[in-house]
Amino acid sequence: MASTLARLVRRPVAKLLFLRSCRHARSYSHYALPGGSGPIFSNNMRDVKEFLPRDSPYRVWARSFASGNGDLFDAVVPHMGESITDGTLATFLKKPGDRVEADEPIAQVETDKVTIDVNSPEAGVIEKFVASEGDTVTPGTKIAVISKSASSATHVAPSEEKVDTVATKPSPPAESKTAGKQKPKVETAAEEKPKVPSPVPPKTSPSEPQLPPKERERRVPMPRLRKRVATRLKDSQNTFAMLTTFNEVDMTNLMRLRSDYKDAFVEKHGVKLGLMSGFVKAAVSGLQNQPIINAVIDGEDIIYREYVDISIAVGTKKGLVVPVIRNADTMNFAEIEKEINTLAKKANDGTISIDEMAGGSFTISNGGVYGSLLSTPIINPPQSAILGMHSIVSRPMVVDGVVVPRPMMYIALTYDHRLIDGREAVYFLRRIKDVVEDPRRLLLDL
């Protein structure tokens, strides 16, 4: 027996060390030593329990989101994207004691680009929150504990706790005694109050401005998305030599095209024909005619992009987002309209992903939907130009020597003058004007 134990200690040391981390394997049938000497231990291996640790790191990892009894689960911040390392816990969608289902959102995390939902890992009742609104969180941060077996009726909301606290007041006799003891102190304080001199208001000169009281101001933290937009726009102003050129477009033919075929277009493609698809097609034509508009400066090099990804600026309640229409040069009117509707809906719902906003070689911003008559848009870095659309206004125009009312739109192109000269910028804007005013050019490639 002594020689057997000696071989056990000397030869299979590596295997015993492995068993140290496998405490959760409760039973073994036998353990064979190298060399074919046969089984040494059997049953539950009681003889080697002293070699094993009390718990296993593998076992702990396997239940990192559950309590010891398997009843509690942790709701943690999910992965937020390759370029996003942290976010701000913006708001809780539920309260402690609320019943939630598996994968139901319980909180929202704001990042520099999108808003991400934190979902419940299991169906149950929210036991408690372990983070607060406004906290900076990273992927894997625990924000709530979910009880799988608890009932929502057993949890007391904060308002109910306050009611119970108020209900458990001292009895009336005790209140009267306490009031009787404290009454002289109140009267003494009342007598001494007139002795305190009231502060004299400072005298102000007639020329000193009268500032509004601080009570009429409200200070709130800036959302992360707004911080990101502010930083990018300021960086754009500091980096680019921005210049804007303008033109005006007669929208008569494009609006007539939409009016004549809107019903047939919806019937066949299931989406409405808008004006944006016409401008996207016109921008694609302009970028193909003037490739420098689609290029970008990278250090001391110029990168010419052989693809056309159009970014569409969308204003949402939480801030400006810019989803991208990939390979717009290969898409027809119907495909562009469907993609615009899909991306705009995701942007407004807050479900748009990072990948759907990454990249882009040229941006179109339509301020006309808000009534803007004229503006100078700011370049969306690292792009080199942006097209600004504006509202359609009926104005008197001279057509064939006759003054007639026409629906007109001002368009603006802001470009990086370090890379793009005025000649290319004007030619590009003229191409937009020509295609929008006569869409038949797209069919004939003119």
Side-chain angles (χ1 to χ4, degrees), residues 225-240 242 313 319-322 363 365 376-382 386 414:
L225 179 58
R226 176 54 58 188
K227 290 181 183 178
R228 179 64 174 171
V229 171
T231 301
R232 286 177 61 86
L233 293 180
K234 189 57 183 174
D235 290 344
S236 178
Q237 283 188 327
N238 296 338
T239 303
F240 299 139
M242 288 190 289
L320 180 68
V321 296
V322 191
T363 297
S365 176
T376 55
I378 298 178
I379 297 173
N380 178 28
I386 180 174
T414 299

Side-chain angles (χ1 to χ4, degrees), residues 88-337:
T88 301
L89 184 57
T91 181
F92 286 108
L93 305 177
K94 301 291 183 177
K95 301 186 297 294
D98 287 354
R99 178 78 184 178
V100 293
E101 301 298 329
D103 296 328
E104 182 179 357
I106 62 175
Q108 289 184 334
V109 175
E110 284 187 353
T111 68
D112 296 343
K113 299 179 180 179
V114 294
T115 300
I116 298 173
D117 290 334
V118 180
N119 299 329
S120 173
E122 296 287 343
V125 175
I126 298 178
E127 185 87 3
K128 62 179 179 178
F129 290 136
V130 295
S132 303
E133 293 182 356
D135 290 353
T136 299
V137 294
T138 58
T141 301
K142 181 171 70 173
I143 67 166
V145 177
I146 309 297
S147 175
K148 192 172 182 180
S149 62
S151 172
S152 59
T154 61
H155 294 265
V156 181
S159 60
E160 296 175 354
E161 294 177 357
K162 293 180 181 179
V163 173
D164 295 340
T165 304
V166 175
T168 58
K169 289 183 177 180
S171 59
E175 290 181 358
S176 60
K177 293 177 181 179
T178 305
K181 294 178 181 179
Q182 296 179 352
K183 187 173 181 181
K185 295 182 180 180
V186 175
E187 292 176 354
T188 304
E191 294 174 358
E192 295 177 355
K193 187 174 181 180
K195 298 179 181 179
V196 180
S198 58
V200 179
K203 296 181 179 181
T204 59
S205 60
S207 60
E208 184 177 347
Q210 298 296 323
L211 299 178
K214 296 295 183 180
E215 293 78 8
R216 299 178 61 183
E217 298 178 350
R218 184 166 58 96
R219 182 186 295 269
V220 298
M222 182 181 292
R224 293 180 67 94
L225 179 58
R226 176 54 58 188
K227 290 181 183 178
R228 179 64 174 171
V229 171
T231 301
R232 286 177 61 86
L233 293 180
K234 189 57 183 174
D235 290 344
S236 178
Q237 283 188 327
N238 296 338
T239 303
F240 299 139
M242 288 190 289
L243 184 62
T244 305
T245 183
F246 303 92
N247 212 319
E248 59 181 354
V249 178
D250 188 344
M251 301 294 294
T252 301
N253 290 331
L254 186 59
M255 293 176 66
R256 183 180 298 153
L257 177 68
R258 184 180 66 170
S259 178
D260 291 344
Y261 295 101
K262 62 180 181 180
D263 296 334
F265 193 87
V266 171
E267 183 179 352
K268 181 176 181 179
H269 302 290
V271 64
K272 294 182 179 180
L273 176 61
L275 298 178
M276 183 60 75
S277 57
F279 276 90
V280 171
K281 295 292 290 184
V284 169
S285 178
L287 293 172
Q288 291 173 340
N289 287 351
Q290 301 294 331
I292 193 65
I293 308 292
N294 203 42
V296 64
I297 295 178
D298 184 18
E300 296 182 355
D301 300 327
I302 299 175
I303 299 177
Y304 287 90
R305 288 175 276 201
E306 304 297 333
Y307 57 90
V308 178
D309 290 349
I310 303 294
S311 303
I312 305 295
V314 179
T316 66
K317 295 180 180 179
K318 295 183 178 181
L320 180 68
V321 296
V322 191
V324 181
I325 302 175
R326 309 287 180 188
N327 300 315
D329 52 326
T330 64
M331 303 171 69
N332 57 31
F333 280 82
E335 292 170 339
I336 292 174
E337 289 291 350

Side-chain angles (χ1 to χ4, degrees), residues 396-435:
M397 302 297 296
V398 178
V399 180
D400 297 331
V402 180
V403 178
V404 294
R406 288 296 180 109
M408 303 298 296
M409 174 193 289
Y410 289 119
I411 56 176
L413 178 71
T414 299
Y415 57 96
D416 185 1
H417 209 350
R418 300 177 305 164
L419 176 66
I420 304 168
D421 294 331
R423 174 177 175 270
E424 286 79 12
V426 172
Y427 280 168
F428 175 83
L429 212 55
R430 283 298 304 268
R431 182 61 183 174
I432 299 289
K433 174 181 174 67
D434 292 341
V435 172

